[in-house]
Amino acid sequence: MSVSAALSDELYLQVVTFLYREAYLLDHWKLEEWLSLLTDDALYLMPVRVTEWGIESQGGVRELYHFEENKSSLTLRIKRLQTQFAWGENPPPRTRRFIGGVLVRKGDRDHELEVTSSLLFLRNRGDSPDLSILSAERQDILRITPDGLRLARRLILLDHTVPSLESLFIL
Amino acid sequence: MAARTRSKHRLADGTPLRELVRVEEGRIAARVFTDPEIYQLELERIFLRCWLAVAHESEIPHPGDYVTRRMGEDPVIVVRDREGQIHVLLNSCTHRGAEVCRVSRGNAREFVCPYHGYRFHLDGELAGAPAHEWAYDQQFDRKAFTLHRARVGTYGGLIFATWDVSAPPLEEYLGDMRWYLDLLLKRTEGGVEVVGAPHRWIIEANWKTGADNFIGDGLHTFMTHRYAIELGVLPNDPLIGWFGWHISVGRGHGVAIVGAPERIPLPPYLGLPQELWPLLERALTDAQRRILERTATVHGTVFPNLSLLNTTTIATEEGMPRVPFLTLRVWIPLGPHRMEILSWFLVEKEGPEWYKEASRKNYERTFGLTGTFEEDDADIWVSLTRANRGAFARKYHVFNYEMGLHRQPRPRTEWPGPGEAYWGDYCEANQRTFWAQWRRLMTEDRG
Ligand SMILES: [Fe+2]
């Protein structure tokens, strides 16, 4: 599959399809396949957010993270799930990722796209009637490679300062 | 009079509180983890009386800096005034109770209530209100409407507060636990500092599940954190958590200092970077230094709801240096079946940057909301809370707290630190100490 760096309907469709596919893989626990969509130098970040005065402080505390991950640490997280002893994720939760508001623009570097999207994440565990709900903005850098689009960097700005759930191995 | 005193120690159905916590026999009723009536009593008899950890000085370094926290369910502002003094104020206006501070951290000259404009100095004193000469006919008594102020104390940079005017001074409250806190908070001259803002999240578990685990649960590692064994990052040995000292410090506090069997090499001082070793040797007593020299993990709880963990964790990515991290956390009660976990990551100020970064990542990836170890614990504490809410469990289910009940503490010649020290962290002496203090406070006769 070849992708051109010029912004076009076709490119937009490819970006949206990439995001949907990624969400599908995560929701269906196809985690190694999901990992293969990340570049080897990928960063996966979710900073702690804090309620402060002023909109300028709303970008999250970039000193402490919920996720400060790279491909190697994500690989370990996923290996953990395969042990059957990751109690926080076993029995596996049922999750649903809704993605919307996808905006695409050319990145600072050639062959990179800056993609902003909104995520609504619903999760149900065990026989609880309740859903855990998280919502977030994602600021991604997608790289155009000979194999298609790959995720090079994801910054997740969670809308929660105090999320309510007992486990979260990936968002 | 006697009947009234007795009824204070009984629940509405007539059950004496004392019967639920039979530490001498190693029996604790499931009910103490889930009963709404007990929870309400805890808020008054424990959270209104104890010294509670609320912040660390490094979170509010400058005049005017503040963070908002909770003491029990009550929201407070922890603020440093112009003179550098720290105050802990109820975040509720003395006029009609609106929150006078609406964010969780910042810097302020004063706190202004958004409802009617009452203004408060950083020490909580009322500075004024709009048009008060007219509104209060010149009878406005500023001194009578100071924000409620808790007593404040600090130790090793940690800020504690209590509502109880007759509580002993903080130093006395911490007692011998100070010796162990020094091992973590004062092991270098500069001490430790909080990085960023704490992780905060809510789980559907009783607050005591965390305190009870951290104070002395060495046994759970082998099963709860079994994934780490399966991946080969912890040894597959049912005794992995045994090789350490389990110390009931008194006043409900407890700590465990865990190493490894002789044959297993450990990096000196939990794997702290070599640059810090001379600082350790200067700041600690010889006995403290020797203890840390062959330690892999320190875990403990300061009664009621401050827990600590310093551990040489597994490397969380390939090629990453194995360095320890330090977390302190409070288990904040939000109902009988719910708590907020507020977890700080702290690191030695003098530490080299590479160490601070590796330590932070190891913490973030193993503890905190998304931490692989934390997830295991939290999920099980939620299940514990869920499983014991029914009528049968509440009435008849009693937990086994017998581990180490017949073991004797070792003599001072074997353990140089204070407290009753048991060899082997598969022991529940610390948990029994916690529950004995809980029972003492819950059944104390006070006005
Ligand atoms: Fe644990």
Side-chain angles (χ1 to χ4, degrees), chain B residues 7-184:
Chain B
S7 74
K8 235 186 85 180
H9 303 161
R10 283 176 190 274
L11 297 169
D13 67 359
T15 307
L17 273 166
R18 188 163 286 281
E19 266 181 27
L20 301 175
V21 178
R22 300 184 341 248
V23 287
E24 294 75 9
E25 300 154 56
R27 293 284 185 277
I28 312 280
R31 184 172 179 177
V32 297
F33 283 101
T34 58
D35 189 296
E37 186 187 358
I38 291 176
Y39 173 78
Q40 289 303 327
L41 293 173
E42 286 175 336
L43 290 183
E44 290 185 20
R45 296 182 189 171
I46 290 173
F47 288 93
L48 286 187
R49 290 182 190 169
C50 292
W51 282 98
L52 305 169
V54 288
H56 188 270
E57 288 202 56
S58 58
E59 294 184 276
I60 50 168
H62 307 297
D65 284 353
Y66 64 84
V67 290
T68 53
R69 294 285 147 81
R70 277 182 199 277
M71 293 171 64
E73 290 189 4
D74 291 300
V76 294
I77 311 167
V78 184
V79 58
R80 190 182 288 276
D81 73 15
R82 298 281 144 218
E83 284 72 48
Q85 209 183 324
I86 297 165
H87 304 278
V88 176
L89 312 167
L90 186 71
N91 188 7
S92 171
C93 182
T94 48
H95 175 233
R96 205 63 91 242
E99 291 172 352
V100 298
C101 181
R102 297 159 68 76
V103 294
S104 66
R105 71 174 189 184
N107 184 280
R109 303 183 69 83
E110 57 181 14
F111 296 108
V112 182
C113 179
Y115 201 177
H116 303 87
Y118 270 44
R119 292 182 295 113
F120 297 90
H121 294 300
L122 297 181
D123 65 0
E125 270 192 32
L126 182 56
H132 64 81
E133 300 89 337
W134 289 273
Y136 291 97
D137 308 302
Q138 315 216 341
Q139 311 270 311
F140 195 54
D141 182 4
R142 284 197 188 102
K143 294 276 177 238
F145 296 100
T146 301
L147 291 174
H148 285 282
R149 263 196 292 226
R151 281 172 66 195
V152 179
T154 64
Y155 192 80
L158 261 182
I159 305 168
F160 292 81
T162 178
W163 296 114
D164 186 357
V165 289
S166 62
L170 175 64
E171 299 250 323
E172 191 183 325
Y173 178 90
L174 294 174
D176 287 334
M177 194 65 183
R178 288 172 297 170
W179 199 87
Y180 296 101
L181 288 174
D182 290 351
L183 287 177
L184 308 181

Side-chain angles (χ1 to χ4, degrees), chain B residues 213-214 217 220-221 224-225 309 367 373-374 376-378 381:
Chain B
N213 173 284
F214 271 65
D217 197 329
H220 86 291
T221 303
T224 304
H225 305 302
L309 174 67
F367 282 82
F373 278 61
E374 188 97 51
D376 296 334
D377 289 322
W381 299 339

Side-chain angles (χ1 to χ4, degrees), chain A residues 111-161:
Chain A
H111 304 292
E112 284 190 349
L113 303 168
E114 287 181 19
V115 179
T116 305
S117 62
S118 296
L119 171 73
L120 178 63
F121 171 83
L122 306 180
R123 189 187 73 160
N124 184 264
R125 289 193 68 208
D127 292 335
S128 164
D130 302 322
L131 287 167
S132 299
I133 301 174
L134 294 176
S135 65
E137 175 176 311
R138 307 193 301 185
Q139 298 173 3
D140 296 341
I141 294 177
L142 298 188
R143 196 172 293 158
I144 298 165
T145 78
D147 302 323
L149 292 170
R150 290 291 178 268
L151 181 65
R153 184 175 190 273
R154 168 161 292 162
L155 177 72
I156 302 168
L157 295 177
L158 200 60
D159 294 332
H160 310 245
T161 57

Side-chain angles (χ1 to χ4, degrees), chain A residues 48 50 61-64, chain B residues 59 105 194-198 344-345:
Chain A
V48 165
V50 176
V61 176
R62 304 294 170 89
E63 294 163 278
L64 194 77
Chain B
E59 294 184 276
R105 71 174 189 184
V194 167
V195 175
W344 294 277
F345 165 69

Side-chain angles (χ1 to χ4, degrees), chain B residues 195-220:
Chain B
V195 175
H199 282 137
R200 298 171 59 196
W201 72 107
I202 287 171
I203 69 171
E204 306 299 311
N206 183 272
W207 67 273
K208 297 188 293 302
T209 55
D212 178 269
N213 173 284
F214 271 65
I215 201 171
D217 197 329
L219 183 64
H220 86 291

Side-chain angles (χ1 to χ4, degrees), chain B residues 245-407:
Chain B
W245 292 89
H246 178 101
I247 306 136
S248 305
V249 180
R251 293 177 178 272
H253 314 315
V255 68
I257 298 185
V258 185
E262 294 289 333
R263 66 194 148 78
I264 294 185
L266 282 179
Y269 305 119
L270 299 101
L272 284 168
Q274 211 160 345
E275 293 96 311
L276 292 178
W277 297 358
L279 281 72
L280 252 63
E281 283 151 16
R282 266 205 302 281
L284 296 174
T285 67
D286 211 44
Q288 288 173 319
R289 187 194 56 74
R290 268 185 287 120
I291 285 170
L292 271 199
E293 199 165 7
R294 233 190 105 70
T295 290
T297 300
V298 180
H299 61 89
T301 293
V302 176
F303 192 89
N305 69 332
L306 168 67
S307 289
L308 50 94
L309 174 67
N310 187 200
T311 187
T312 304
T313 183
I314 59 172
T316 53
E317 69 178 81
E318 265 177 69
M320 190 166 179
R322 209 177 117 171
V323 293
F325 65 79
L326 172 62
T327 173
L328 300 179
R329 63 258 314 280
V330 280
W331 319 102
I332 301 170
L334 290 179
H337 315 130
R338 172 176 289 191
M339 69 167 141
E340 175 183 325
I341 305 177
L342 185 149
S343 172
W344 294 277
F345 165 69
L346 302 102
V347 72
E348 290 75 14
K349 281 183 196 157
E350 299 100 330
E353 283 311 311
W354 67 264
Y355 157 66
K356 289 183 179 180
E357 185 186 330
S359 181
R360 180 186 73 237
K361 287 180 178 168
N362 273 342
Y363 159 73
E364 289 166 335
R365 293 167 181 172
T366 51
F367 282 82
L369 165 62
T370 66
T372 50
F373 278 61
E374 188 97 51
E375 276 197 352
D376 296 334
D377 289 322
D379 191 68
I380 288 167
W381 299 339
V382 169
S383 86
L384 183 171
T385 305
R386 186 172 53 225
N388 294 289
R389 292 166 69 164
F392 182 87
R394 188 177 294 185
K395 225 169 156 51
Y396 301 111
H397 198 16
V398 178
F399 296 152
N400 176 358
Y401 275 76
E402 278 184 19
M403 215 186 299
L405 189 62
H406 305 293
R407 222 175 287 162

